[in-house]
Structure formats: structure tokens, C-alpha cells
Coordinates of all heavy atoms in Angstrom, one line a residue:
M13 N 17.3 12.2 21.7 CA 16.4 12.5 20.6 C 16.5 14.0 20.0 O 16.4 14.8 21.0 CB 14.9 12.2 21.0 CG 14.5 10.8 21.0 SD 14.2 10.2 19.2 CE 12.8 11.1 18.8
P14 N 16.7 14.2 18.8 CA 16.7 15.6 18.3 C 15.4 16.2 18.7 O 14.3 15.5 18.5 CB 17.0 15.4 16.9 CG 17.4 14.0 16.7 CD 16.9 13.2 17.8
E15 N 15.4 17.5 18.9 CA 14.1 18.2 19.2 C 13.8 19.0 18.0 O 14.6 19.7 17.4 CB 14.5 19.2 20.4 CG 13.2 19.9 20.9 CD 12.6 19.1 22.0 OE1 13.3 18.3 22.7 OE2 11.4 19.1 22.1
R16 N 12.5 18.9 17.5 CA 12.1 19.7 16.4 C 12.0 21.2 16.8 O 11.5 21.6 17.8 CB 10.6 19.2 15.9 CG 10.2 20.0 14.7 CD 8.6 19.7 14.6 NE 8.2 20.2 13.3 CZ 8.0 21.5 13.0 NH1 8.2 22.4 13.9 NH2 7.5 21.8 11.7
L17 N 12.6 22.1 15.9 CA 12.6 23.5 16.3 C 11.7 24.3 15.3 O 10.8 25.1 15.8 CB 14.1 24.1 16.0 CG 15.1 23.5 16.8 CD1 16.4 24.2 16.5 CD2 14.8 23.5 18.2
C18 N 11.7 24.1 14.0 CA 10.9 24.8 13.1 C 11.0 24.3 11.7 O 11.9 23.4 11.5 CB 11.3 26.3 13.1 SG 13.1 26.6 12.5
A19 N 10.3 24.8 10.8 CA 10.4 24.4 9.4 C 11.5 25.3 8.8 O 11.7 26.4 9.2 CB 9.1 24.6 8.6
L20 N 12.3 24.7 7.9 CA 13.4 25.5 7.3 C 12.9 26.7 6.6 O 13.5 27.7 6.6 CB 14.1 24.5 6.3 CG 15.3 25.2 5.6 CD1 16.4 25.6 6.5 CD2 15.9 24.1 4.6
S21 N 11.7 26.6 6.1 CA 11.1 27.7 5.3 C 10.7 28.9 6.2 O 10.5 30.0 5.7 CB 9.9 27.2 4.5 OG 8.9 26.7 5.5
E22 N 10.7 28.6 7.5 CA 10.4 29.8 8.5 C 11.6 30.6 8.7 O 11.4 31.8 9.3 CB 9.9 29.2 9.8 CG 8.6 28.5 9.8 CD 8.2 27.9 11.2 OE1 8.0 28.7 12.1 OE2 8.4 26.7 11.4
L23 N 12.8 30.2 8.4 CA 14.0 31.0 8.7 C 14.3 31.9 7.5 O 14.5 31.4 6.4 CB 15.2 30.0 8.9 CG 15.0 29.1 10.1 CD1 16.2 28.1 10.2 CD2 15.0 29.9 11.4
K24 N 14.5 33.1 7.9 CA 15.0 34.1 6.9 C 16.5 34.3 7.2 O 16.9 34.4 8.3 CB 14.2 35.5 7.1 CG 12.7 35.3 6.7 CD 12.1 36.7 6.7 CE 10.7 36.6 6.8 NZ 10.0 37.4 7.9
E25 N 17.2 34.6 6.0 CA 18.6 34.7 6.2 C 19.0 35.8 7.3 O 18.5 36.9 7.3 CB 19.2 35.2 4.8 CG 20.7 35.4 4.7 CD 21.4 34.0 4.8 OE1 20.8 33.0 4.4 OE2 22.6 34.0 5.1
S26 N 19.9 35.4 8.2 CA 20.5 36.2 9.2 C 19.4 36.9 10.0 O 19.6 38.0 10.6 CB 21.4 37.2 8.6 OG 22.5 36.6 7.9
T27 N 18.3 36.3 10.2 CA 17.2 36.9 11.0 C 16.8 35.8 12.1 O 16.3 34.8 11.8 CB 16.0 37.2 10.2 OG1 16.3 38.0 9.2 CG2 14.9 37.9 11.0
P28 N 17.1 36.2 13.4 CA 16.8 35.2 14.4 C 15.4 34.9 14.6 O 14.5 35.7 14.5 CB 17.3 35.9 15.7 CG 18.2 36.9 15.2 CD 17.7 37.4 13.9
L29 N 15.1 33.6 14.7 CA 13.7 33.1 15.1 C 13.7 32.5 16.5 O 14.5 31.7 16.9 CB 13.3 32.0 14.1 CG 11.9 31.4 14.3 CD1 10.8 32.4 13.9 CD2 11.8 30.1 13.5
R30 N 12.9 33.0 17.3 CA 12.7 32.6 18.7 C 11.9 31.3 18.7 O 10.8 31.3 18.2 CB 12.0 33.6 19.6 CG 11.9 33.2 21.1 CD 11.3 34.2 21.9 NE 10.9 33.9 23.2 CZ 11.7 33.9 24.3 NH1 13.0 34.3 24.2 NH2 11.3 33.5 25.4
V31 N 12.5 30.3 19.3 CA 11.8 28.9 19.4 C 11.7 28.7 20.8 O 12.6 28.5 21.5 CB 12.4 27.8 18.6 CG1 11.8 26.6 18.8 CG2 12.5 28.2 17.1
E32 N 10.4 28.5 21.4 CA 10.2 28.2 22.8 C 9.9 26.7 22.9 O 9.1 26.2 22.4 CB 9.0 29.0 23.3 CG 9.2 30.5 23.2 CD 8.1 31.4 23.7 OE1 7.1 30.8 24.0 OE2 8.2 32.6 23.6
L33 N 10.8 26.1 23.8 CA 10.8 24.7 24.1 C 10.4 24.5 25.5 O 10.6 25.5 26.3 CB 12.1 24.0 23.7 CG 12.5 24.1 22.2 CD1 13.8 23.5 22.1 CD2 11.5 23.3 21.3
P34 N 9.9 23.4 26.0 CA 9.8 23.2 27.4 C 11.0 23.4 28.2 O 10.9 24.0 29.3 CB 9.3 21.8 27.5 CG 8.8 21.4 26.1 CD 9.6 22.2 25.2
Q35 N 12.2 23.0 27.7 CA 13.3 23.1 28.5 C 14.1 24.5 28.5 O 14.7 24.9 29.5 CB 14.4 22.1 27.9 CG 14.0 20.7 27.7 CD 13.5 20.5 26.3 OE1 12.7 21.3 25.8 NE2 13.8 19.5 25.7
L36 N 14.0 25.1 27.4 CA 14.6 26.3 27.2 C 14.2 27.1 25.9 O 13.5 26.4 25.1 CB 16.2 26.2 27.1 CG 16.9 25.8 25.9 CD1 18.3 25.9 26.1 CD2 16.4 24.4 25.4
D37 N 14.5 28.3 25.8 CA 14.2 29.0 24.5 C 15.4 29.1 23.7 O 16.6 29.3 24.2 CB 13.6 30.4 24.8 CG 12.3 30.3 25.6 OD1 11.6 29.3 25.4 OD2 12.0 31.2 26.4
L38 N 15.2 29.1 22.4 CA 16.4 29.1 21.5 C 16.2 30.3 20.5 O 15.1 30.6 20.1 CB 16.5 27.8 20.7 CG 16.9 26.5 21.5 CD1 16.9 25.3 20.6 CD2 18.2 26.7 22.2
A39 N 17.3 30.8 20.1 CA 17.3 31.8 18.9 C 18.0 30.9 17.7 O 19.1 30.4 17.9 CB 18.2 33.0 19.2
V40 N 17.1 30.7 16.7 CA 17.6 29.9 15.6 C 18.0 30.9 14.4 O 17.1 31.7 14.0 CB 16.5 28.9 15.2 CG1 17.0 28.0 14.0 CG2 16.1 28.0 16.4
V41 N 19.2 30.7 13.9 CA 19.6 31.6 12.9 C 20.1 30.8 11.6 O 21.0 30.0 11.8 CB 20.7 32.5 13.4 CG1 21.0 33.6 12.4 CG2 20.3 33.2 14.7
K42 N 19.7 31.3 10.5 CA 20.3 30.7 9.3 C 21.2 31.7 8.7 O 21.0 32.9 8.5 CB 19.2 30.5 8.3 CG 19.6 30.0 6.9 CD 18.4 29.8 6.0 CE 18.8 29.2 4.6 NZ 19.7 30.0 3.9
V43 N 22.5 31.3 8.5 CA 23.5 32.1 7.8 C 24.0 31.3 6.6 O 24.8 30.3 6.9 CB 24.6 32.3 8.8 CG1 25.7 33.3 8.1 CG2 24.1 33.1 10.1
R44 N 23.7 31.7 5.4 CA 24.1 31.1 4.2 C 23.5 29.5 4.4 O 22.4 29.3 4.6 CB 25.5 31.1 3.9 CG 25.8 32.5 3.4 CD 27.3 32.7 3.1 NE 28.2 32.7 4.0 CZ 28.6 33.6 4.8 NH1 28.1 34.8 4.5 NH2 29.5 33.6 5.7
D45 N 24.5 28.6 4.2 CA 24.1 27.2 4.3 C 24.0 26.6 5.8 O 23.8 25.4 5.9 CB 25.0 26.3 3.4 CG 24.8 26.7 2.0 OD1 23.7 27.2 1.7 OD2 25.7 26.4 1.3
E46 N 24.3 27.4 6.8 CA 24.4 26.8 8.1 C 23.2 27.4 8.9 O 22.8 28.4 8.8 CB 25.7 27.3 8.8 CG 26.9 26.6 8.2 CD 28.1 26.9 9.0 OE1 28.8 27.9 8.7 OE2 28.4 26.0 9.9
I47 N 22.8 26.5 9.9 CA 21.8 26.9 10.9 C 22.3 26.7 12.3 O 22.8 25.6 12.6 CB 20.5 26.0 10.6 CG1 20.0 26.3 9.3 CG2 19.4 26.3 11.7 CD1 18.9 25.4 8.8
F48 N 22.2 27.8 13.0 CA 22.7 27.8 14.3 C 21.5 27.9 15.3 O 20.5 28.5 15.1 CB 23.6 29.0 14.5 CG 24.8 29.1 13.7 CD1 24.8 29.9 12.5 CD2 25.9 28.3 13.9 CE1 25.8 29.9 11.7 CE2 26.9 28.2 13.0 CZ 26.9 29.1 11.9
A49 N 21.7 27.2 16.5 CA 20.8 27.3 17.6 C 21.5 27.7 18.9 O 22.4 27.0 19.3 CB 20.1 25.9 17.8
I50 N 21.2 28.9 19.4 CA 21.8 29.4 20.5 C 20.8 29.7 21.6 O 19.6 30.1 21.3 CB 22.7 30.6 20.2 CG1 23.5 31.1 21.3 CG2 21.8 31.8 19.6 CD1 24.6 32.2 20.9
E51 N 21.1 29.5 22.9 CA 20.1 29.7 23.9 C 19.7 31.2 23.9 O 20.6 32.1 23.7 CB 20.7 29.4 25.3 CG 19.7 29.4 26.4 CD 20.1 29.0 27.7 OE1 21.4 28.7 27.9 OE2 19.3 29.0 28.6
D52 N 18.4 31.4 24.0 CA 17.8 32.8 23.7 C 17.9 33.6 25.0 O 16.9 34.1 25.4 CB 16.5 32.7 23.2 CG 16.0 34.0 22.6 OD1 16.8 34.9 22.3 OD2 14.9 34.2 22.3
L53 N 19.1 33.6 25.5 CA 19.3 34.4 26.8 C 20.7 34.9 27.0 O 21.5 34.2 27.2 CB 19.0 33.4 28.0 CG 18.6 33.8 29.3 CD1 17.2 34.6 29.2 CD2 18.4 32.6 30.3
C54 N 20.8 36.2 26.8 CA 22.1 36.8 26.9 C 22.7 36.5 28.3 O 21.9 36.7 29.3 CB 21.9 38.3 26.7 SG 23.5 39.2 26.8
S55 N 23.9 36.2 28.3 CA 24.6 35.8 29.6 C 24.9 37.1 30.5 O 25.3 37.0 31.6 CB 25.9 35.0 29.4 OG 26.8 35.8 28.7
H56 N 24.7 38.3 29.9 CA 25.0 39.5 30.7 C 23.8 39.9 31.6 O 24.0 39.9 32.8 CB 25.2 40.7 29.7 CG 25.4 42.0 30.4 ND1 24.6 43.0 30.1 CD2 26.3 42.3 31.4 CE1 25.0 44.0 31.0 NE2 26.1 43.6 31.7
A57 N 22.6 39.9 31.1 CA 21.4 40.4 31.9 C 20.1 39.6 31.4 O 19.1 40.2 31.6 CB 21.3 41.9 32.0
E58 N 20.3 38.5 30.9 CA 19.2 37.6 30.5 C 18.2 38.2 29.7 O 17.0 38.1 29.9 CB 18.6 37.0 31.9 CG 19.7 36.3 32.7 CD 19.0 35.4 33.8 OE1 17.9 35.7 34.1 OE2 19.7 34.6 34.4
Y59 N 18.6 38.8 28.7 CA 17.8 39.5 27.7 C 17.8 38.5 26.4 O 18.7 37.9 26.0 CB 18.3 40.8 27.3 CG 17.4 41.7 26.5 CD1 16.5 42.4 27.1 CD2 17.5 41.7 25.1 CE1 15.5 43.2 26.4 CE2 16.6 42.6 24.4 CZ 15.6 43.3 25.0 OH 14.8 44.0 24.3
P60 N 16.6 38.4 25.7 CA 16.5 37.6 24.6 C 17.4 38.0 23.4 O 17.4 39.1 22.9 CB 15.1 37.7 24.1 CG 14.4 38.3 25.2 CD 15.3 39.1 26.0
L61 N 18.3 37.0 23.0 CA 19.2 37.3 21.9 C 18.5 37.4 20.6 O 18.9 38.0 19.6 CB 20.3 36.3 21.8 CG 21.4 36.3 23.0 CD1 22.3 35.1 22.8 CD2 22.2 37.7 22.9
S62 N 17.3 36.7 20.5 CA 16.5 36.7 19.3 C 16.1 38.1 18.9 O 15.7 38.3 17.7 CB 15.3 35.7 19.3 OG 14.5 36.1 20.4
D63 N 16.1 39.1 19.8 CA 15.7 40.5 19.5 C 16.9 41.2 18.8 O 16.8 42.4 18.4 CB 15.3 41.2 20.7 CG 13.9 40.9 21.1 OD1 13.2 40.1 20.4 OD2 13.6 41.2 22.3
G64 N 18.1 40.6 18.8 CA 19.3 41.3 18.3 C 19.6 41.1 16.8 O 18.8 40.5 16.1
D65 N 20.7 41.7 16.5 CA 21.0 41.7 15.0 C 22.1 40.6 14.8 O 22.9 40.4 15.7 CB 21.7 43.0 14.6 CG 20.5 44.1 14.4 OD1 19.4 43.7 14.1 OD2 20.8 45.3 14.6
V66 N 22.1 40.0 13.5 CA 23.1 39.1 13.2 C 24.0 39.7 12.1 O 23.5 40.3 11.1 CB 22.4 37.8 12.7 CG1 23.5 36.9 12.1 CG2 21.7 37.1 13.8
Q67 N 25.3 39.6 12.3 CA 26.3 40.0 11.3 C 27.2 38.9 11.1 O 27.9 38.5 12.1 CB 27.0 41.3 11.6 CG 26.1 42.5 11.5 CD 26.8 43.8 11.9 OE1 27.8 43.7 12.5 NE2 26.2 44.9 11.6
G68 N 27.3 38.3 9.9 CA 28.1 37.1 9.7 C 27.7 36.0 10.7 O 26.5 35.7 10.9
C69 N 28.7 35.5 11.5 CA 28.4 34.4 12.5 C 28.3 35.0 13.9 O 28.6 34.3 14.9 CB 29.4 33.3 12.4 SG 29.2 32.3 11.0
A70 N 28.0 36.3 14.0 CA 27.9 36.9 15.3 C 26.5 37.4 15.6 O 25.8 37.9 14.6 CB 28.9 38.0 15.5
I71 N 26.1 37.3 16.8 CA 24.7 37.9 17.1 C 25.0 38.9 18.2 O 25.8 38.7 19.1 CB 23.7 36.7 17.5 CG1 22.4 37.4 17.8 CG2 24.1 36.0 18.8 CD1 21.3 36.3 17.8
E72 N 24.3 40.0 18.0 CA 24.5 41.1 19.0 C 23.3 41.4 19.9 O 22.2 41.6 19.4 CB 24.9 42.5 18.2 CG 25.2 43.6 19.2 CD 25.6 44.8 18.4 OE1 26.6 44.7 17.6 OE2 25.0 45.9 18.6
C73 N 23.5 41.4 21.2 CA 22.4 41.6 22.1 C 21.9 43.0 21.9 O 22.7 44.0 22.0 CB 22.9 41.4 23.6 SG 21.5 41.6 24.7
E74 N 20.5 43.2 21.9 CA 20.0 44.5 21.6 C 20.1 45.4 22.8 O 20.1 46.6 22.7 CB 18.5 44.3 21.2 CG 17.8 45.6 20.7 CD 16.4 45.3 20.5 OE1 15.7 45.0 21.5 OE2 16.0 45.5 19.4
L75 N 20.2 44.8 24.0 CA 20.2 45.6 25.2 C 21.4 46.4 25.5 O 21.3 47.6 25.7 CB 19.7 44.7 26.4 CG 19.2 45.5 27.6 CD1 18.0 46.4 27.3 CD2 18.9 44.4 28.7
H76 N 22.5 45.8 25.6 CA 23.8 46.5 25.9 C 24.9 46.2 24.8 O 26.0 46.6 25.1 CB 24.3 46.1 27.2 CG 23.3 46.3 28.3 ND1 22.8 45.2 29.0 CD2 22.7 47.3 28.8 CE1 21.9 45.5 29.9 NE2 21.9 46.8 29.8
G77 N 24.6 45.4 23.8 CA 25.5 45.3 22.7 C 26.5 44.2 22.8 O 27.4 44.1 22.0
S78 N 26.4 43.3 23.7 CA 27.3 42.1 23.8 C 27.2 41.4 22.5 O 26.1 41.2 21.9 CB 27.0 41.2 25.0 OG 27.2 41.8 26.1
R79 N 28.3 40.8 22.0 CA 28.3 40.0 20.8 C 28.8 38.5 21.2 O 29.6 38.3 22.0 CB 29.3 40.5 19.8 CG 28.7 41.8 19.2 CD 29.9 42.5 18.4 NE 30.2 41.8 17.2 CZ 29.5 42.0 16.0 NH1 28.6 42.9 16.0 NH2 29.9 41.4 14.9
F80 N 28.1 37.6 20.5 CA 28.4 36.2 20.7 C 28.7 35.5 19.3 O 27.9 35.8 18.4 CB 27.2 35.4 21.5 CG 27.0 36.1 22.8 CD1 26.1 37.1 22.9 CD2 27.6 35.5 23.9 CE1 25.8 37.6 24.2 CE2 27.3 36.1 25.1 CZ 26.4 37.2 25.3
D81 N 29.5 34.6 19.4 CA 29.8 33.7 18.2 C 28.7 32.7 18.1 O 28.6 31.9 19.0 CB 31.2 33.2 18.3 CG 31.6 32.6 16.9 OD1 30.8 31.8 16.4 OD2 32.8 32.7 16.6
L82 N 28.0 32.7 17.0 CA 26.9 31.7 16.9 C 27.4 30.3 16.9 O 26.7 29.3 17.1 CB 26.1 32.0 15.7 CG 25.2 33.2 15.7 CD1 24.6 33.6 14.3 CD2 24.0 32.9 16.6
R83 N 28.7 30.1 16.5 CA 29.3 28.7 16.3 C 29.6 28.1 17.6 O 29.5 27.0 17.9 CB 30.5 28.7 15.4 CG 30.1 29.2 13.9 CD 31.3 29.6 13.1 NE 31.9 30.8 13.7 CZ 32.8 31.5 13.1 NH1 33.2 31.2 12.0 NH2 33.3 32.6 13.7
T84 N 30.0 29.1 18.6 CA 30.6 28.5 19.8 C 29.8 29.0 21.1 O 29.9 28.4 22.1 CB 32.1 29.0 20.0 OG1 32.1 30.4 20.0 CG2 32.9 28.5 18.9
G85 N 29.0 30.1 20.9 CA 28.4 30.7 22.1 C 29.3 31.6 22.9 O 28.8 32.2 23.9
K86 N 30.6 31.7 22.5 CA 31.5 32.6 23.3 C 31.3 34.0 23.0 O 31.0 34.4 21.9 CB 32.9 32.1 22.9 CG 33.3 30.8 23.4 CD 34.8 30.5 23.2 CE 35.2 29.1 23.7 NZ 36.2 28.5 23.0
P87 N 31.4 34.8 24.0 CA 31.3 36.2 24.0 C 32.5 36.8 23.1 O 33.6 36.4 23.3 CB 31.3 36.8 25.4 CG 32.0 35.8 26.1 CD 31.7 34.5 25.5
T88 N 32.2 37.6 22.1 CA 33.3 38.3 21.3 C 33.2 39.8 21.4 O 34.0 40.4 20.8 CB 33.1 37.8 19.8 OG1 31.8 38.3 19.4 CG2 33.3 36.4 19.6
G89 N 32.4 40.3 22.3 CA 32.2 41.8 22.6 C 31.6 41.9 23.8 O 30.6 41.3 24.2
P90 N 32.1 42.9 24.7 CA 31.5 43.2 26.0 C 30.1 43.9 26.0 O 29.7 44.4 24.9 CB 32.6 44.2 26.6 CG 33.1 44.8 25.4 CD 33.1 43.9 24.3
P91 N 29.4 43.9 27.1 CA 29.9 43.6 28.4 C 29.9 42.1 28.8 O 30.4 41.8 29.9 CB 29.0 44.5 29.2 CG 27.7 44.6 28.6 CD 28.1 44.6 27.1
A92 N 29.2 41.3 28.1 CA 29.1 39.9 28.5 C 30.5 39.3 28.5 O 31.4 39.5 27.7 CB 28.2 39.0 27.6
N93 N 30.7 38.4 29.6 CA 32.0 37.7 29.6 C 31.8 36.1 29.8 O 32.7 35.4 30.0 CB 32.9 38.3 30.6 CG 32.4 38.3 32.0 OD1 31.4 37.6 32.3 ND2 32.9 39.1 32.9
Q94 N 30.6 35.7 29.8 CA 30.2 34.2 29.9 C 29.6 33.8 28.6 O 28.9 34.5 28.0 CB 29.3 34.1 31.1 CG 29.9 34.5 32.5 CD 31.1 33.6 32.8 OE1 31.0 32.4 32.7 NE2 32.1 34.2 33.3
P95 N 29.8 32.5 28.2 CA 29.3 32.0 27.0 C 27.8 31.7 27.2 O 27.2 31.7 28.3 CB 30.1 30.7 26.8 CG 30.6 30.3 28.2 CD 30.7 31.6 28.9
V96 N 27.1 31.5 26.0 CA 25.8 31.1 26.0 C 25.8 29.7 25.3 O 26.6 29.4 24.4 CB 25.0 32.1 25.1 CG1 23.5 31.7 24.9 CG2 25.1 33.5 25.7
A97 N 24.9 28.9 25.7 CA 24.9 27.5 25.2 C 24.5 27.5 23.7 O 23.6 28.2 23.3 CB 23.9 26.5 25.9
V98 N 25.1 26.7 22.9 CA 24.8 26.5 21.5 C 24.6 25.0 21.3 O 25.2 24.2 22.0 CB 25.9 26.9 20.6 CG1 26.0 28.4 20.6 CG2 27.2 26.3 20.8
F99 N 23.7 24.6 20.3 CA 23.3 23.2 20.1 C 23.5 22.9 18.6 O 23.3 23.8 17.7 CB 21.9 23.2 20.5 CG 21.6 23.4 21.9 CD1 21.3 24.7 22.3 CD2 21.8 22.5 22.9 CE1 21.1 25.1 23.6 CE2 21.7 22.8 24.3 CZ 21.3 24.1 24.6
E100 N 23.8 21.6 18.5 CA 24.1 21.2 17.0 C 22.7 21.1 16.3 O 21.8 20.6 17.0 CB 24.8 19.9 17.1 CG 25.4 19.5 15.8 CD 26.2 18.1 16.0 OE1 26.9 18.1 17.0 OE2 26.1 17.2 15.1
T101 N 22.6 21.4 15.1 CA 21.4 21.4 14.3 C 21.5 20.4 13.2 O 22.6 20.2 12.7 CB 20.9 22.8 13.8 OG1 21.9 23.2 12.8 CG2 20.8 23.7 15.0
S102 N 20.4 19.9 12.7 CA 20.3 19.2 11.5 C 19.0 19.5 10.8 O 18.0 20.0 11.4 CB 20.4 17.7 11.7 OG 19.4 17.3 12.7
V103 N 19.0 19.2 9.5 CA 17.8 19.5 8.7 C 17.4 18.1 8.0 O 18.2 17.6 7.3 CB 17.9 20.6 7.6 CG1 16.7 20.8 6.8 CG2 18.4 21.9 8.3
I104 N 16.2 17.7 8.3 CA 15.6 16.5 7.6 C 14.3 16.7 7.1 O 13.3 17.3 7.7 CB 15.5 15.3 8.7 CG1 16.9 15.1 9.4 CG2 15.0 14.1 8.1 CD1 16.8 14.2 10.6
D105 N 14.2 16.6 5.8 CA 13.0 16.8 5.0 C 12.4 18.2 5.4 O 11.2 18.3 5.6 CB 11.9 15.7 5.5 CG 12.3 14.4 4.9 OD1 13.1 14.4 4.0 OD2 11.8 13.4 5.5
G106 N 13.2 19.2 5.3 CA 12.7 20.6 5.5 C 12.4 21.0 6.9 O 11.8 22.1 7.1
V107 N 12.7 20.1 7.8 CA 12.5 20.4 9.2 C 13.8 20.6 10.0 O 14.7 19.8 9.8 CB 11.6 19.4 9.9 CG1 11.4 19.7 11.4 CG2 10.3 19.3 9.2
V108 N 14.0 21.6 10.8 CA 15.2 21.9 11.6 C 15.1 21.2 12.9 O 14.2 21.5 13.6 CB 15.4 23.4 11.7 CG1 16.7 23.7 12.4 CG2 15.4 24.1 10.3
Y109 N 16.1 20.5 13.3 CA 16.2 19.8 14.6 C 17.4 20.3 15.4 O 18.4 20.7 14.8 CB 16.3 18.3 14.5 CG 15.0 17.7 13.8 CD1 15.0 17.6 12.5 CD2 14.0 17.2 14.6 CE1 13.8 17.0 11.9 CE2 12.9 16.7 14.0 CZ 12.8 16.6 12.6 OH 11.7 16.0 12.0
A110 N 17.4 20.2 16.6 CA 18.6 20.4 17.5 C 18.8 19.3 18.4 O 17.9 18.7 18.9 CB 18.5 21.7 18.3
E111 N 20.1 19.0 18.7 CA 20.5 18.0 19.6 C 20.7 18.7 21.0 O 21.6 19.3 21.2 CB 21.8 17.4 19.1 CG 22.1 16.0 19.6 CD 20.9 15.0 19.3 OE1 20.7 14.6 18.1 OE2 20.4 14.5 20.3
L112 N 19.6 18.5 21.8 CA 19.7 19.3 23.2 C 20.5 18.6 24.2 O 20.9 19.1 25.2 CB 18.4 19.7 23.6 CG 17.6 20.5 22.7 CD1 16.2 20.9 23.4 CD2 18.2 21.8 22.3
E113 N 20.4 17.2 24.1 CA 20.9 16.4 25.3 C 22.4 16.4 25.4 O 23.0 16.0 26.4 CB 20.3 15.0 25.3 CG 18.9 15.0 25.6 CD 18.2 13.8 25.4 OE1 18.9 12.8 25.2 OE2 16.9 13.8 25.4
N114 N 23.2 16.6 24.3 CA 24.7 16.6 24.4 C 25.2 17.7 25.2 O 26.5 17.7 25.4 CB 25.3 16.4 23.0 CG 24.8 15.1 22.4 OD1 24.3 14.3 23.1 ND2 24.9 15.0 21.1
N115 N 24.6 18.8 25.4 CA 25.1 20.0 26.0 C 24.8 20.0 27.5 O 24.0 19.4 28.0 CB 24.6 21.2 25.3 CG 25.2 21.4 23.9 OD1 24.9 20.5 23.2 ND2 25.8 22.5 23.6
Ligands
FES13 S1 21.6 41.8 28.5 FE1 22.7 41.4 26.7 S2 24.4 42.8 26.7 FE2 23.3 43.2 28.5

């Protein structure tokens, strides 16, 4: 079952929204026509990625500057060297959902 994350109208362009779910917390980011959902936990020292900046399809951790690709969760800039989980999203009737169970 897809998990409801937020209303599409809550998302501002390239501005992470922290969504707290029972299983995990997500940073949800709208970049142009795409919506990304990445676990809200930097793999370097477990800091919330939703506090960081987004440039293009990259999110930068505010604490030590690691960068992650929002499409894959892979680190693209140090010090992090482990990926962060990403989840497929969909929008139905103005509501954003993520598929959590496939990951
Ligand atoms: S906690 Fe994110 S870069 Fe260190």
C-alpha cells in the first residue's frame, strides 16, 4: 500500500519537507515536475537531510556537507560514503504517496 506523505500544495520548489511516519522519517522534495522521497537521515552521522539545501537533483546535508542524489540516494560528495534509502512517489488527486514496501 502506498503511504500518504503530504498534499502536493505543501511542497515548495526545491525545499525539503520533513514527513514523519511510524516506520521512518522522509525528506520530500519537489524539483520541477518530479517529487522525491529520501530517508531523512544522513548516512554520515544521522542528521536530518530535510534541514539541508537542494540544488538540482542533489540534497546537501547541513551538518558536514555530504551530498546525495535525490534520484538514487547515492552519495555524490563526502564525507558520507553510504547511500540513503529513496522511495518511489506518486501523486493522486493532489496527494503525494510513497511506495515504502519495495525498498
Ligand atoms: S551528518 Fe550529514 S554530512 Fe555529516
Side-chain angles (χ1 to χ4, degrees):
M13 280 289 289
E15 192 86 32
R16 184 193 188 283
L17 302 185
C18 60
L20 181 60
S21 59
E22 291 178 74
L23 295 175
K24 294 189 199 124
E25 182 71 23
S26 299
T27 304
L29 176 73
R30 179 177 171 89
V31 174
E32 298 180 3
L33 299 173
Q35 311 90 314
L36 80 175
D37 298 328
L38 296 176
V40 184
V41 188
K42 177 180 181 297
V43 180
R44 291 186 287 275
D45 292 336
E46 290 192 272
I47 296 173
F48 301 102
I50 188 167
E51 188 172 7
D52 196 14
L53 203 59
C54 180
S55 63
H56 177 239
E58 303 194 341
Y59 193 80
L61 289 174
S62 57
D63 286 347
D65 285 332
V66 171
Q67 287 181 342
C69 286
I71 190 164
E72 183 174 303
C73 180
E74 189 183 63
L75 198 54
H76 310 110
S78 292
R79 289 166 71 88
F80 299 89
D81 190 318
L82 287 166
R83 297 165 293 196
T84 63
K86 290 187 179 154
T88 56
N93 57 19
Q94 296 297 314
V96 177
V98 293
F99 301 91
E100 197 173 315
T101 64
S102 56
V103 179
I104 302 169
D105 292 338
V107 177
V108 181
Y109 296 88
E111 204 56 68
L112 300 184
E113 286 172 11
N114 295 342
N115 289 55

